[in-house]
Amino acid sequence: MLEKDFQAWCHAFRKRADQAGVSDRTLELCASHLRPDPRVLDKQSNQSEFTLTISQYLDRAVTDKRIRNGRARYRANRALLNNVSEQYGVDAQIILAIWGLESDYGATRGDWPVLTALATLAQSGHRASFFEDELIAALKIIDAGDIAPSAMRGSWAGAMGHGQFMPSSFQRFAVDDDADGRRDIWGDDPQDGLASVANYLAEHGWRKSRPCQIEVILPDGFDYALAGRHAKRPATEWDRAGVISAGGSQVPDYGDASVLLPSGASGPAFMTFGNFDVLLTYNRADAYAIAVGLLADRVQGGQPIKAKCPDDLIVLTRDGIRELQERLTGAGYDTLGADGFPGPNTAAALRSYQRDNGLVADGFGSGAMLDHLRNRG
């Protein structure tokens, strides 16, 4: 990154920020923070690919230590969590679980200078326009008096505070719950941070006292084409189809639900409800939403997931998925593009291939599935 290139970008950016409504005072106050940091670009370019099975992910996210710490943090913040829960209509244990997964209950809120990180990513990182919008949002937060520039710290990608809000999410959903005139999600006192998480969920349609998901057992001969986040049907229909809870009881009726197989037919199965979709607005990864629901349940004394993925199950990297798509299309099962993302077109093509070859037609592209296509030639 050349300094002169950054300065040229910064000069043009200040004009865009001014047009977006950032005050001259804030632009001057923050000028010294708008500088490049090559370490941020290194972080962005060296992100490890997500290649864990759902069992491996949950083993890392919902540890015994995190469960114990969650119970301790609940005891220490019982009044606050219950008050926030009552005020916003969001279950206290869900707020606690997001707090635990996002910042380890406030212990790791991030120490990167957010303005510097966002300026670096906006000038020369991937998704530069996205990060420029977030930088403008961060400047407007400072404009509003919620935080000083030097105190605005977070992750290398700009996520901040107890709930790891991006600046644009802060603008829309952060609240001043303690009524001190500032929406302070950064400080040691978690009140504004936890209330902001609750407000976010409430604004996205959270329904209190309803589960996110439950583990289920699928009947023999289950049609895996019915599985998937967007294949919703009433829980009563799943019940008639023979889907039962992992404990062997009837599935609860909380309205329309989906059956989710995050690691294919050989891993655990989940029935997901409306609150699961709300969690996906917070973080789009199915595994994350499952982990929030599981951690919330375990902190209250719930049981771990019963089913486990087989040890030899290999999750494909993006390059592996791209090769899978290319080989499927070459074999006459068109995935409508090879972008490295396992979307519904890829799943449908793969299910057709699996059915035609006498395989379990779950549409999950594992390492074994790619090997099968390679051996086909």
Side-chain angles (χ1 to χ4, degrees):
M1 180 192 304
L2 296 177
E3 180 67 24
K4 65 178 182 179
D5 292 339
F6 186 86
Q7 291 306 320
W9 170 85
C10 196
H11 179 74
F13 168 75
R14 290 187 59 161
K15 292 182 179 179
R16 293 192 291 272
D18 177 71
Q19 292 170 352
V22 180
S23 70
D24 290 340
R25 176 185 174 278
T26 293
L27 286 170
E28 288 302 320
L29 184 65
C30 297
S32 63
H33 298 274
L34 302 182
R35 60 182 185 273
D37 185 344
R39 297 175 304 159
V40 173
L41 297 180
D42 289 342
K43 281 282 189 181
Q44 189 182 52
S45 62
N46 290 311
Q47 294 179 82
S48 58
E49 280 203 65
F50 184 80
T51 57
L52 302 176
T53 67
I54 187 61
S55 296
Q56 292 167 337
Y57 178 88
L58 293 176
D59 284 347
R60 296 186 185 191
V62 188
T63 62
D64 289 343
K65 180 179 179 181
R66 184 162 281 160
I67 294 166
R68 289 195 306 271
N69 287 347
R71 290 169 180 163
R73 295 297 273 179
Y74 180 76
R75 289 192 296 270
N77 296 274
R78 185 190 304 269
L80 169 60
L81 284 161
N82 288 342
N83 287 341
V84 168
S85 173
E86 183 68 24
Q87 181 178 355
Y88 293 96
V90 177
D91 304 85
Q93 64 269 22
I94 290 293
I95 302 167
L96 181 74
I98 289 178
W99 191 23
L101 289 174
E102 292 292 346
S103 65
D104 201 15
Y105 308 107
T108 55
R109 283 162 272 164
D111 200 36
W112 289 79
V114 167
L115 294 178
T116 299
L118 290 175
T120 303
L121 293 166
Q123 191 267 331
S124 55
H126 306 304
R127 302 173 67 205
S129 62
F130 166 81
F131 286 108
E132 181 167 309
D133 289 343
E134 293 296 331
L135 177 56
I136 289 173
L139 292 170
K140 288 183 176 181
I141 293 167
I142 293 167
D143 228 355
D146 287 302
I147 191 77
S150 59
M152 182 181 270
R153 307 185 80 82
S155 76
W156 63 265
M160 307 178 298
H162 290 271
Q164 291 294 281
F165 275 20
M166 291 298 289
S168 59
S169 290
F170 178 99
Q171 282 189 300
R172 295 176 61 194
F173 304 109
V175 294
D176 176 18
D177 197 68
D178 60 9
D180 68 350
R182 295 172 54 237
R183 297 170 293 174
D184 181 12
I185 66 170
W186 299 270
D188 290 338
D189 184 345
Q191 181 169 348
D192 285 358
L194 298 185
S196 297
V197 170
N199 184 53
Y200 181 102
L201 297 176
E203 289 292 325
H204 284 84
W206 186 268
R207 302 186 69 180
K208 194 175 182 181
S209 301
R210 296 197 172 200
C212 310
Q213 81 273 335
I214 61 167
E215 187 183 4
V216 294
I217 299 172
L218 305 180
D220 293 339
F222 179 79
D223 181 2
Y224 292 104
L226 300 177
R229 188 195 304 164
H230 305 296
K232 295 183 182 296
R233 56 179 55 196
T236 52
E237 288 191 20
W238 292 119
D239 178 57
R240 287 195 294 270
V243 179
I244 60 174
S245 76
S249 61
Q250 184 179 28
V251 293
D253 185 3
Y254 289 107
D256 288 352
S258 301
V259 168
L260 196 64
L261 303 169
S263 288
S266 64
F270 301 91
M271 181 172 289
T272 67
F273 304 97
N275 281 344
F276 186 87
D277 297 332
V278 174
L279 292 177
L280 290 175
T281 70
Y282 204 97
N283 183 312
R284 291 179 294 178
D286 290 342
Y288 174 87
I290 291 170
V292 170
L294 178 61
L295 179 57
D297 190 47
R298 294 298 311 280
V299 166
Q300 296 183 98
Q303 296 299 308
I305 300 301
K306 294 180 181 294
K308 283 282 188 181
C309 296
D311 292 338
D312 61 353
L313 181 64
I314 297 174
V315 180
L316 295 177
T317 64
R318 188 173 300 176
D319 285 344
I321 294 168
R322 187 178 294 109
E323 182 185 350
L324 180 87
Q325 291 167 329
E326 291 169 347
R327 288 184 178 276
L328 279 170
T329 299
Y333 301 86
D334 193 359
T335 61
L336 303 180
D339 58 3
F341 293 95
N345 294 329
T346 299
L350 182 53
R351 278 195 297 270
S352 294
Y353 174 85
Q354 290 167 325
R355 279 194 296 266
D356 290 347
N357 286 272
L359 305 172
V360 176
D362 60 0
F364 181 70
S366 65
M369 195 66 254
L370 180 56
D371 285 342
H372 194 280
L373 280 158
R374 286 169 173 165
N375 292 335
R376 176 190 175 102

